[in-house]
Amino acid sequence: MFATRGIASTAMSCARSISHVTIIGGGLMGSGITQVAAQTGHRVTLVDLDQNILDQSTARISKSLARVAKKKFGDDAEGAKSFVESTMGAISTATDACSVVKDTDLVIEAIVENMSVKHRLFKELDSVAPQDVIFTSNTSSLSISEIAEVTSRKDKFGGLHFFNPVPVMKLLEVVKTDNISAETLSTLMSFGKKLGKVTIQCTDTPGFIVNRLLVPNMAEAVKMLERGVASAEDIDTAMKLGAGHPMGPLQLADYVGLDTCLFILEGWSQKYPDVEIFQVPELLRTLVAEGKLGNKSGEGFYKH
């Protein structure tokens, strides 16, 4: 008991302090991560190639912070105003990532789920960022080790998988590769806790923990629907009332986006063709081909 506590204490004591965070990608995930990092005392630079996207992101963050302030401060208008202004004051934006990473502690990539695009980005950043800068990816389905292959800092490369919406969802998966150093892992765990997240560790396996369990579950529900085992409504009702899930697997697939589910499964099945649970249901391919993507298109397994 005491030995374990000592090891944990030593691991945490080697964590580096993170002051300046650079987040690349101004979409929903990038702006959400920017908000929580700025709220918790970090200086944050949000980077995107498109200034219009950065403007939209900062407007989204400001609106989200106003909701947080109203809940946190109630009738204290001055307190709410100060909270929003100080948080927004900690955020800057840029369109050139290479200039920003020369003076940062941590990079969090939250761009498109495309390995070649990520490789181009990290190869470029690796050539200009000081060697002590930690690189991370917010990927939900790609291999962290494979992303890190193009860099010279594999010991300072890990995964930080946030969940949408980032300001609301408490979980953070910290993904460790075979090459990550104890200091880097400890730093990422400590950083996640400072953000107010419940941080969990996992190895670099497809989908990490949540998506590795969740996506095959949704795929199996689609296969059950294909086989005529039960209706979509009954499959979802069974999992809500029988397993205590807040949302059924087909409802969840619609919420996530059927195109996103298909993208993840196709990537896994191509890389691991012999793993049965990664095989793509034909019904899923058909719905996506028909433009029925779930909530965002108005129809998927359900009409919305």
Side-chain angles (χ1 to χ4, degrees):
M1 175 179 169
F2 293 106
T4 302
R5 184 181 299 168
I7 292 169
S9 176
T10 301
M12 291 308 294
S13 68
C14 75
R16 287 168 44 197
S17 176
I18 298 296
S19 175
H20 181 201
V21 184
T22 296
I23 295 163
I24 302 178
L28 285 174
M29 295 304 293
S31 58
I33 300 166
T34 297
Q35 178 183 326
V36 296
Q39 275 182 225
T40 49
H42 300 88
R43 183 163 56 96
V44 187
T45 303
L46 177 61
V47 181
D48 199 283
L49 294 173
D50 190 332
Q51 184 60 49
N52 289 330
I53 289 178
L54 290 172
D55 293 341
Q56 292 169 15
S57 297
T58 52
R60 187 186 304 122
I61 293 168
S62 181
K63 187 179 292 186
S64 177
L65 284 171
R67 291 194 295 269
V68 173
K70 185 174 182 180
K71 184 176 181 180
K72 186 174 182 179
F73 293 93
D75 295 331
D76 181 4
E78 283 301 313
K81 181 181 177 184
S82 176
F83 168 78
V84 173
E85 288 179 351
S86 63
T87 303
M88 291 301 297
I91 301 170
S92 59
T93 61
T95 55
D96 180 13
C98 286
S99 62
V100 176
V101 298
K102 293 176 181 177
D103 177 32
T104 195
D105 301 310
L106 173 67
V107 172
I108 303 174
E109 168 268 309
I111 63 172
V112 63
E113 289 283 70
N114 181 293
M115 186 62 76
S116 62
V117 175
K118 291 183 191 293
H119 273 173
R120 284 198 299 271
L121 172 67
F122 279 115
K123 189 172 183 179
E124 190 174 11
L125 296 182
D126 190 53
S127 68
V128 294
Q131 274 300 311
D132 62 345
V133 177
I134 296 173
F135 286 177
T136 66
S137 175
N138 178 58
T139 182
S140 60
S141 61
L142 301 179
S143 165
I144 299 296
S145 299
E146 190 175 343
I147 298 172
E149 277 179 0
V150 297
T151 75
S152 61
R153 64 189 76 211
K154 297 177 182 63
D155 61 323
K156 296 183 180 68
F157 206 118
L160 288 177
H161 183 216
F162 293 84
F163 294 82
N164 189 39
V166 180
V168 176
M169 299 294 278
K170 296 292 290 182
L171 185 66
L172 173 62
E173 291 178 325
V174 178
V175 185
K176 56 184 180 181
T177 67
D178 291 341
N179 296 309
I180 194 169
S181 69
E183 181 187 65
T184 299
L185 180 59
S186 177
T187 299
L188 295 180
M189 291 293 290
S190 179
F191 171 70
K193 288 171 184 174
K194 189 172 181 184
L195 296 183
K197 300 300 182 186
V198 175
T199 56
I200 58 174
Q201 290 184 36
C202 63
T203 58
D204 186 20
T205 189
F208 316 131
I209 298 174
V210 173
N211 284 341
R212 179 60 178 266
L213 294 171
L214 202 59
V215 174
N217 175 257
M218 290 189 287
E220 183 58 30
V222 179
K223 292 171 187 174
M224 290 181 74
L225 185 62
E226 278 182 328
R227 295 195 299 268
V229 172
S231 67
E233 292 83 356
D234 284 353
I235 290 169
D236 283 338
T237 298
M239 293 308 292
K240 286 188 286 187
L241 301 185
H245 292 190
M247 189 182 293
L250 298 174
Q251 288 176 302
L252 183 59
D254 272 4
Y255 176 78
V256 169
L258 303 191
D259 53 337
T260 301
C261 296
L262 178 61
F263 175 83
I264 293 171
L265 283 169
E266 284 186 329
W268 291 354
S269 63
Q270 287 167 14
K271 192 166 185 179
Y272 305 98
D274 297 328
V275 180
E276 186 177 350
I277 61 171
F278 292 167
Q279 298 307 305
V280 182
E282 284 305 313
L283 177 57
L284 182 61
R285 292 188 195 276
T286 300
L287 289 172
V288 172
E290 292 174 352
K292 296 175 181 177
L293 309 181
N295 293 26
K296 58 186 170 187
S297 70
E299 184 176 358
F301 292 107
Y302 298 93
K303 290 189 176 180
H304 302 279

